[in-house]
């Protein structure tokens, strides 16, 4: 093929992306954005998914890597693009770079929340998911004008994980693109008081179910990382989805999207009189108030502790640094 043939094929593929019915011999591409708490273990999870034996470095702004897998012997390898947003919530505007109208149909989000920092958990989750949802909704609004079929298909797919007759379909608000929530550092979380663990687990179950997301708790233990990997491989390479479920609060949670229900989760963990005093317009707001009563949010600013990468020795470049010093002088 000449460069022109490849370019024409690429444009045609963009105009008629049909990932779900990938023909044999065709390559499928998926993109996944990892975001979440600073130092929450995102890089470790990505390296594990790609089976790379290297030690994780702190992520600077937005980083990219990719993985390839062949579905069968002698077939072209599928490609998964992995984006990772560093800096916690401070650089959330950068999500506009990886998520575009070209790849929205094959995009998914993995939110990594650090279970060892319950006071930052809700704030991090809320600001990252809201910013992503707003950006995706803008893309969908544009697509409704330019390519209504694709927009309709994405909206339909949001509900795919919930069975038609699921009793909670009126109570949930699925995320516009596939979402996986990973609770990291389960080993530290496991040492918490059992009441605290129950509140955090219950709240994350509610949030995941509300957004139509899968939920998994993980740590550095190989068995738990494998479970997280199974969910990510499903998004990245279309591997079969796991049907196993673990909702016991004394064990690490593992709940694929659509397999939980409000009746199993139960009411927010607070007394009826407390709930009566809380003024909330939506179930999500009520859970937030109950959660923040036990774990008041820290007013933390991710930007304050962002070190200047120009001073970081791992990015040293002799000639550039000499010019920079000269200029500063």
């Amino acid at each position: 093929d000449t460069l022109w043939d490849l370019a024409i094929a690429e444009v045609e593929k963009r105009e008629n992306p049909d990932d779900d019915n990938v023909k044999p011999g065709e390559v499928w591409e998926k993109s996944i954005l990892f975001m979440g708490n600073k130092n929450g273990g995102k890089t470790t999870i990505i390296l594990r998914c790609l089976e790379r034996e290297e030690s994780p470095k702190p992520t600077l702004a937005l980083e990219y890597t990719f993985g390839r897998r062949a579905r069968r012997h002698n077939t072209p390898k599928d490609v998964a693009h992995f984006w990772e947003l560093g800096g916690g919530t401070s650089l959330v505007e950068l999500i506009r770079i990886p998520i575009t109208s070209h790849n929205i149909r094959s995009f998914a989000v993995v939110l990594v929340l650090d279970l060892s920092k319950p006071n930052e958990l809700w704030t991090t989750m809320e600001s990252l998911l809201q910013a992503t949802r707003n950006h995706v909704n803008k893309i969908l609004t544009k697509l409704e004008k330019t390519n209504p079929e694709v927009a309709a298909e994405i909206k339909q797919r949001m509900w795919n994980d919930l069975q038609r007759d699921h009793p909670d379909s009126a109570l949930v608000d699925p995320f516009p693109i596939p979402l996986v929530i990973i609770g990291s550092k389960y080993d530290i979380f496991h040492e918490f008081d059992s009441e605290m663990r129950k509140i955090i687990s219950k709240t994350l179950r509610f949030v995941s179910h509300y957004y139509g997301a899968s939920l998994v708790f993980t740590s550095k233990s190989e068995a738990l990382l494998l479970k997280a990997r199974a969910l990510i491989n499903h998004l990245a390479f279309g591997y079969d989805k796991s049907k196993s479920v673990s909702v016991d609060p004394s064990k690490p949670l593992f709940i694929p999207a659509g397999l939980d229900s409000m009746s199993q989760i139960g009411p927010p963990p607070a007394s009826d009189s407390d709930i009566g005093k809380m003024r909330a317009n939506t179930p999500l707001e009520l859970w937030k108030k109950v959660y923040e009563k036990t774990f008041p949010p820290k007013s933390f600013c991710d930007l304050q502790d962002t070190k200047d990468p120009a001073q970081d020795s791992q990015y040293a470049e002799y000639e550039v640094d000499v010019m920079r010093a000269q200029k500063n002088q």
Side-chain angles (χ1 to χ4, degrees):
D1 285 2
T2 67
L3 208 50
W4 287 115
D5 297 331
L6 293 171
I8 291 166
E10 174 66 26
V11 169
E12 278 174 358
K13 196 170 118 219
R14 281 187 179 172
E15 283 170 359
N16 328 304
D18 217 354
D19 287 343
D20 298 335
N21 340 323
V22 177
K23 298 171 192 69
E26 222 178 282
V27 173
W28 94 344
E29 285 188 45
K30 296 279 182 184
S31 304
I32 300 180
L33 172 65
F34 286 76
M35 53 190 188
N37 291 84
K38 239 182 159 156
N39 307 323
K42 299 183 287 295
T43 311
T44 309
I45 293 166
I46 292 174
L47 291 173
R48 203 60 213 85
C49 284
L50 299 175
E51 298 175 12
R52 288 193 194 150
E53 300 293 330
E54 48 191 270
S55 47
K57 292 193 189 83
T59 301
L60 182 77
L62 185 67
E63 295 202 355
Y64 168 83
T65 183
F66 67 93
R68 303 178 70 169
R69 297 275 157 84
R71 259 169 295 169
R72 285 176 298 284
H73 191 54
N74 282 342
T75 55
K77 289 185 172 177
D78 294 329
V79 182
H81 306 281
F82 287 85
W83 294 87
E84 184 187 354
L85 179 70
T89 54
S90 61
L91 303 170
V92 73
E93 289 81 33
L94 292 178
I95 59 169
R96 294 199 302 260
I97 296 167
I99 310 179
T100 65
S101 53
H102 287 312
N103 64 13
I104 188 84
R105 288 181 73 189
S106 55
F107 213 97
V109 170
V110 174
L111 176 66
V112 181
L113 297 172
D114 186 338
L115 295 173
S116 68
K117 297 180 182 161
N119 299 71
E120 293 176 17
L121 196 139
W122 192 284
T123 326
T124 303
M125 174 185 73
E126 190 174 54
S127 53
L128 289 172
L129 288 184
Q130 267 177 359
T132 309
R133 184 168 219 161
N134 292 342
H135 175 61
V136 171
N137 285 342
K138 274 183 197 154
I139 291 178
L140 286 177
T141 310
K142 269 191 201 152
L143 275 178
E144 276 170 352
K145 293 179 187 138
T146 57
N147 199 337
E149 293 88 25
V150 171
E153 183 202 320
I154 291 171
K155 290 192 168 167
Q156 176 50 45
R157 218 168 38 186
M158 285 159 56
W159 294 94
N160 280 2
D161 285 320
L162 273 193
Q163 284 84 20
R164 282 270 147 78
D165 48 356
H166 198 291
D168 300 336
S169 43
L171 305 168
V172 296
D173 185 9
F175 207 66
I177 52 180
L179 172 66
V180 169
I181 297 177
I182 296 181
S184 65
K185 305 197 182 172
Y186 178 77
D187 42 347
I188 303 173
F189 171 76
H190 192 57
E191 306 298 317
F192 285 6
D193 162 68
S194 70
E195 209 42 50
M196 279 168 74
R197 284 209 314 266
K198 214 185 235 162
I199 293 173
I200 298 169
S201 297
K202 213 173 173 184
T203 303
L204 283 178
R205 274 181 72 184
F206 168 78
V207 168
S208 300
H209 185 54
Y210 181 79
Y211 283 127
S214 299
L215 174 66
V216 58
F217 282 3
T218 180
S219 70
K220 286 189 174 134
S221 101
E222 200 52 39
L224 290 185
L225 275 169
L226 276 173
K227 288 197 150 181
R229 216 175 110 188
L231 285 176
I232 293 165
N233 277 338
H234 168 68
L235 296 177
F237 300 108
Y239 287 15
D240 288 344
K241 218 154 123 190
S242 173
K243 287 276 184 278
S244 72
V245 175
S246 164
V247 293
D248 180 348
S250 63
K251 297 195 177 97
L253 296 180
F254 180 80
I255 312 167
L259 299 184
D260 212 341
S261 69
M262 296 298 185
S263 56
Q264 285 175 304
I265 297 166
S271 67
D272 291 348
S273 62
D274 278 352
I275 288 179
K277 288 178 203 152
M278 290 177 184
R279 291 215 167 86
N281 297 324
T282 61
L284 192 66
E285 217 175 293
L286 179 63
W287 279 81
K288 176 183 178 175
K289 288 187 170 171
V290 170
Y291 181 83
E292 292 188 340
K293 195 166 185 277
T294 314
F295 303 106
K298 271 197 197 141
S299 56
F300 67 99
C301 176
D302 281 326
L303 277 174
Q304 287 164 355
D305 53 19
T306 311
K307 294 185 187 68
D308 179 1
Q311 310 303 326
D312 191 327
S313 55
Q314 72 166 320
Y315 303 112
E317 282 187 55
Y318 178 72
E319 283 152 10
V320 177
D321 296 341
V322 169
M323 297 292 277
R324 177 94 186 245
Q326 232 175 332
K327 187 174 181 218
N328 289 347
Q329 200 179 335

